[in-house]
Amino acid sequence: MGFPRRRLLAAVPLCLAPVALPAALSVAAPGSALAQTALLNVSYDPTRELYKDVNARFAAFWSTQPGGGVVTVKTSHGGSGAQSRAVLDGLQADVVTLGIESDIDVLADKGLLAKDWAGRLPNHSVPYTSRIVFLVRHGNPKRLRDWSDLVQDGVQVITPNPKTSSGGRWSYIAAYLWALHQPGADEAKAEDYIARLYKHVPILDTGARGSTNTFVQRNEGDVLLAWEDEALLAAHDLGEGKFDVVYPSSSVIAEPPVAVVDSVAKEHGTEKVAEAYLRYLYSPDGQEIAAKHHYRPIDPQVAARHAAEFAPVKAYDVATIGGWRVLQQKHFAEGGVFDRIYSGGR
């Protein structure tokens, strides 16, 4: 079967949505005057609802802290890879909360932040995790239970473009890891499965939220490969009774990291409040907000309180196949595995 005619959808314009707060005042050292400022958090697609809550709660918290004050936080959302490139092109992010570490590594490689950025915050700068799951139409009419089902005749799979979307890369790697762990499998057989899978993908949106809209609102495709948080949002909050979440036999530990963009924060004088903003994600309140929005908390006590909300699923760690620096270059760089299979080179 040849590749179907596919659409690569244009990037969604950046959405800068300020939180409705009093006039912005920045942080200064205790005993000094407060000056006007704001924080910009450049994030990826599915975190819109999460950071709307975080921004408001952090602003209330920070106003009570010694040396704190009134702060506004603006957010920008889009495909993680596209967001990373926007920061490289000059978008003035004080912090980035992207979907995959390779999109922050790119910024570090260009000197916008330190190369040891991942060691600055707990859990290698990952305050919550997710999984890749299937979102299907209610009743699962195509009986899609596992990765092998996605390459059956007549199945259309919706997933974002892994060149621009971290959700697209995590979905690709979740599928690849499943294939790599099948009896008698090797890298060539796993890549062959990926090539067959993408023959069933009729549309490549630039970001995860775009793919969710394609599946949920435009009613295209039989299954959406999605972040667990995005799938649960769609199933419980956007279309209750219209969709089911299916956990395949294996997934991947999806780790969206966070970092202060040192060069920008230094220029803006926001280093202190920017770091405090990210550390707030690790606080009990920040962890509860993450759980509310269907992210898996890393705090053991908070995770225990919400254990019933997250189905157990076998999940592989990308470190077992080299980590993201290796995977990014091998699979998603120009001329990599994805380019070869998508252009029909295999």
Side-chain angles (χ1 to χ4, degrees):
M1 179 177 67
F3 279 82
R5 183 173 65 88
R6 288 165 290 188
R7 289 168 278 167
L8 278 72
L9 301 189
V12 178
L14 294 174
C15 175
L16 295 176
V19 178
L21 294 169
L25 292 172
S26 106
V27 116
S32 65
L34 296 174
Q36 300 236 346
T37 194
L39 284 182
L40 175 59
N41 172 9
V42 173
S43 195
Y44 68 108
D45 263 341
T47 63
R48 298 166 194 266
E49 295 78 14
L50 168 68
Y51 281 109
K52 181 179 179 181
D53 278 359
V54 167
N55 294 349
R57 296 277 278 276
F58 174 75
F61 161 79
W62 193 243
S63 69
T64 69
Q65 300 304 296
V70 182
V71 60
T72 58
V73 185
K74 299 180 180 181
T75 52
S76 168
H77 298 277
S80 184
Q83 292 289 76
S84 178
R85 286 193 293 276
V87 174
L88 283 176
D89 289 341
L91 183 62
Q92 293 288 288
D94 298 275
V95 301
V96 287
T97 58
L98 297 178
I100 207 162
E101 71 178 62
S102 54
D103 287 337
I104 301 182
D105 283 337
V106 169
L107 306 180
D109 289 346
K110 294 296 183 179
L112 275 67
L113 65 158
K115 291 194 175 183
D116 66 350
W117 63 267
R120 293 179 167 185
L121 293 170
N123 196 43
H124 49 277
S125 292
V126 176
Y128 42 76
T129 70
S130 191
R131 304 291 185 267
I132 296 299
V133 301
F134 301 169
L135 185 70
V136 299
R137 307 204 182 276
H138 184 58
N140 197 4
K142 293 289 181 80
R143 300 183 182 278
L144 305 174
R145 304 292 184 192
D146 208 355
W147 296 99
S148 58
D149 300 327
L150 305 189
V151 294
Q152 294 176 358
D153 289 345
V155 174
Q156 286 198 328
V157 179
I158 303 300
T159 187
N161 189 341
K163 301 283 280 191
T164 56
S165 164
S166 61
R169 271 169 280 172
W170 284 115
S171 295
Y172 174 110
I173 291 298
Y176 178 81
L177 280 163
W178 171 83
L180 195 61
H181 285 84
Q182 296 311 293
D186 55 20
E187 287 189 2
K189 290 179 180 178
E191 290 176 16
D192 180 69
Y193 168 77
I194 292 293
R196 288 187 290 129
L197 175 64
Y198 278 87
K199 289 179 181 179
H200 291 261
V201 178
I203 300 165
L204 284 177
D205 292 277
T206 57
R209 182 55 58 88
S211 285
T212 300
N213 291 339
T214 292
F215 185 76
V216 170
Q217 297 181 357
R218 293 163 53 196
N219 204 38
E220 299 209 39
D222 301 299
V223 56
L224 171 69
L225 304 185
W227 293 89
E228 179 182 36
D229 51 276
E230 190 80 344
L232 291 172
L233 173 69
H236 298 312
D237 303 333
L238 302 181
E240 188 172 359
K242 296 181 179 179
F243 306 100
D244 297 333
V245 178
V246 173
Y247 286 81
S249 62
S250 72
S251 186
V252 65
I253 304 170
E255 297 182 306
V258 302
V260 175
V261 182
D262 296 327
S263 59
V264 175
K266 183 176 181 180
E267 180 181 347
H268 291 174
T270 57
E271 301 109 307
K272 180 180 176 181
V273 65
E275 181 173 344
Y277 174 72
L278 296 184
R279 288 192 178 275
Y280 186 76
L281 299 172
Y282 295 86
S283 70
D285 188 52
Q287 292 286 285
E288 287 287 351
I289 296 171
K292 172 187 172 183
H293 291 282
H294 312 300
Y295 289 89
R296 297 188 179 220
I298 64 164
D299 182 294
Q301 292 183 332
V302 179
R305 286 197 291 271
H306 295 274
E309 301 169 28
F310 298 101
V313 58
K314 181 177 182 179
Y316 296 110
D317 188 332
V318 295
T320 63
I321 51 172
W324 275 110
R325 279 202 177 267
V326 170
L327 295 175
Q328 178 66 30
Q329 185 63 33
K330 180 176 180 178
H331 289 269
F332 307 111
E334 293 302 312
V337 174
F338 178 75
D339 283 352
R340 294 202 311 273
I341 66 169
Y342 198 74
S343 64
R346 286 188 60 83

